[in-house]
Amino acid sequence: MKEGRSTVAEFGSKPNDTLSMDPVKFMVWLLLLASVMLFASQTSAYLVKRAEGNWLEFTIPGIFTYSTIVLVLSSVTMHWAYLEAKKDNFSKLKLAVTVTFLLGVVFLAMQVLGWGKLVEMNVYFVGNLAGSFFYVFTFLHLVHLILGLLALLSTLWAATKMKVHSKRLRRIEVCATIWHFLDILWIYLFVFLLTFN
């Protein structure tokens, strides 16, 4: 009996293991999940409306392909920034974040130029659902991208103050998560639009 009591006492005194997650990272993942649901609903609506007919088929301007390459390159430089932060290489960290930011700005500019190409092809925001959806998808992604650019600026500022290093990686981890998500989201949208245009 005494043995049984001591075993129970031992188990009772042992703290319970709890699962914990950084609250900032948790909030970021919730926001990204909300974005996934937003774009999933939009792409579902696209497929439903496309099946109804009255659909203008058009060739997606080549600039959108080039902008996709630019965004993929920016994900590479974002990962480079993360690796430099882990090594406490502050000069290369700042350079990598700066290059990522500039590539993001180039992507944004190319998307806007792509809208101009669509207008030249007589594909407008109003007048046909295919064009409307294309503008909505690209605009919503650009809104997300601008938020990503703000996260990059915040990370760059923190890096200049040496607040991002191997012992404080949360900021750059969050920034990298957001940026890679934007990259994957755009690739999904672009492939979707190429496939179902």
Side-chain angles (χ1 to χ4, degrees):
M1 268 318 250
K2 287 183 181 178
E3 276 182 32
R5 284 178 187 168
S6 64
T7 306
V8 171
E10 285 171 17
F11 281 116
S13 63
K14 190 175 181 181
N16 293 329
D17 291 332
T18 57
L19 296 173
S20 62
M21 185 177 187
D22 184 295
V24 174
K25 290 181 181 178
F26 181 70
M27 285 301 298
V28 167
W29 279 108
L30 279 181
L31 290 171
L32 297 185
L33 180 60
S35 295
V36 167
M37 294 176 72
L38 169 67
F39 282 97
S41 66
Q42 292 297 309
T43 50
S44 297
Y46 179 100
L47 292 173
V48 170
K49 291 296 183 183
R50 184 175 183 270
E52 290 176 0
N54 188 28
W55 202 255
L56 172 68
E57 292 189 2
F58 59 90
T59 303
I60 296 173
I63 194 167
F64 287 101
T65 301
Y66 299 129
S67 68
T68 302
I69 294 167
V70 168
L71 195 61
V72 170
L73 286 174
S74 75
S75 255
V76 173
T77 58
M78 185 72 248
H79 186 64
W80 172 36
Y82 173 70
L83 294 177
E84 296 302 339
K86 286 178 73 175
K87 293 187 282 188
D88 292 328
N89 193 335
F90 296 107
S91 58
K92 287 186 179 178
L93 165 61
K94 288 183 280 187
L95 175 62
V97 174
T98 301
V99 171
T100 305
F101 178 82
L102 292 175
L103 288 171
V105 171
V106 169
F107 173 83
L108 190 151
M110 291 175 83
Q111 296 290 93
V112 173
L113 289 172
W115 290 344
K117 296 287 184 187
L118 288 171
V119 170
E120 288 173 14
M121 296 163 54
N122 297 317
V123 178
Y124 302 103
F125 178 69
V126 292
N128 187 281
L129 282 173
S132 300
F133 270 109
F134 194 95
Y135 283 104
V136 167
F137 286 160
T138 51
F139 176 76
L140 285 176
H141 183 262
L142 280 187
V143 170
H144 284 71
L145 185 93
I146 290 167
L147 296 175
L149 288 172
L150 292 175
L152 281 168
L153 282 178
S154 171
T155 302
L156 182 59
W157 177 85
T160 59
K161 301 292 183 183
M162 295 192 176
K163 292 182 177 179
V164 177
H165 48 77
S166 58
K167 302 260 189 308
R168 290 181 72 178
L169 291 172
R170 182 176 76 174
R171 186 185 298 262
I172 197 159
E173 285 173 348
V174 166
C175 187
T177 299
I178 293 168
W179 200 257
H180 294 318
F181 170 79
L182 290 170
D183 191 352
I184 293 165
L185 177 61
W186 173 251
I187 290 170
Y188 161 72
L189 286 174
F190 188 56
V191 170
F192 177 87
L193 290 166
L194 283 174
T195 305
F196 296 104
N197 183 31

